[in-house]
Amino acid sequence: MTDLTGRTVLIAGATSASGLAATRALTSAGARVVATGRSSAKLVPLAALGARVETLDLSIESAVVELSRRLRSDGLPIDGLLHLVGGWRGGGGLAGQTEDDYRALEISFSALRHLSRAFDDDLRTSPAGRLAIVSSTAVARPLAGGANYAAVKAASEAWTRAVAQGYAKAAREAGEPLRAAAVIFRVKALAGLEDRLAAAYSELWGAEASELNDSIFDLQQEG
């Protein structure tokens, strides 16, 4: 496993099985982990693994900006952001795609926008910044019964690719090598892939940013 000693990684929406797996993998590799969630009770297992836990609603921009300021004030600019805010609502064909369902799913996209803006300077100026989101194979083949979900994931992918272009442009204009990378992990279903996702994200620091930036990786079940 890549040695992540000295790296600080923010896991957004860390109270899922994927967040637990990522926290375990990253702390084992030597990283400092900041785990966020809306429930302080659900963050307790992450604190037990050594993570610094922060209770906040990532869909509120001011709360995210305040988090970024607080971490910098504490000497913890981040080197990595793993975006795990998500969820699923669907079914009922196109007519069954309610506005309430869309708004619930859209929270993930809002959180990504807030986080990537608030921590943009941290990631661009890190010796090795790594931002990753978890998307879905539904983006490539959207279905009527999952139109809301696929639309949010597609928007999140477009935003992440724009982040990647921003990293490349900033490095080019500064006349410096690219050190930050934004990538997309696609899954059909995340259940059962939690450890693989954690390992894949940790291993991003084992490759050059120029090789990773604006890449899409498909994570599949073994066998």
Side-chain angles (χ1 to χ4, degrees), residues 50-181:
R52 168 172 170 161
V53 297
E54 295 281 349
T55 306
L56 74 158
D57 184 343
L58 295 172
S59 69
I60 301 174
E61 185 176 18
S62 59
V64 176
V65 171
E66 175 55 31
L67 173 64
S68 69
R69 290 173 177 166
R70 187 163 61 249
L71 292 179
R72 289 189 201 104
S73 178
D74 292 344
L76 290 174
I78 69 168
D79 302 287
L81 170 60
L82 177 58
H83 186 269
L84 297 177
V85 182
W88 160 258
R89 291 193 184 190
L94 198 64
Q97 302 299 290
T98 70
E99 191 64 14
D100 284 345
D101 287 341
Y102 176 79
R103 294 303 171 192
L105 293 167
E106 189 184 33
I107 288 172
S108 171
F109 183 41
S110 296
L112 173 63
R113 291 184 291 111
H114 300 335
L115 288 159
S116 58
R117 286 196 297 255
F119 290 98
D120 183 62
D121 190 61
D122 283 14
L123 292 165
R124 284 192 297 103
T125 59
S126 166
R130 300 291 184 267
L131 178 149
I133 69 165
V134 179
S135 186
S136 171
T137 55
V139 173
R141 189 174 182 273
L143 303 178
N148 280 334
Y149 178 76
V152 168
K153 290 299 187 183
S156 297
E157 287 200 8
W159 185 272
T160 302
R161 296 194 67 194
V163 170
Q165 190 276 336
Y167 291 163
K169 182 174 183 290
R172 184 171 61 252
E173 290 180 347
E176 298 177 350
L178 180 63
R179 298 186 181 92

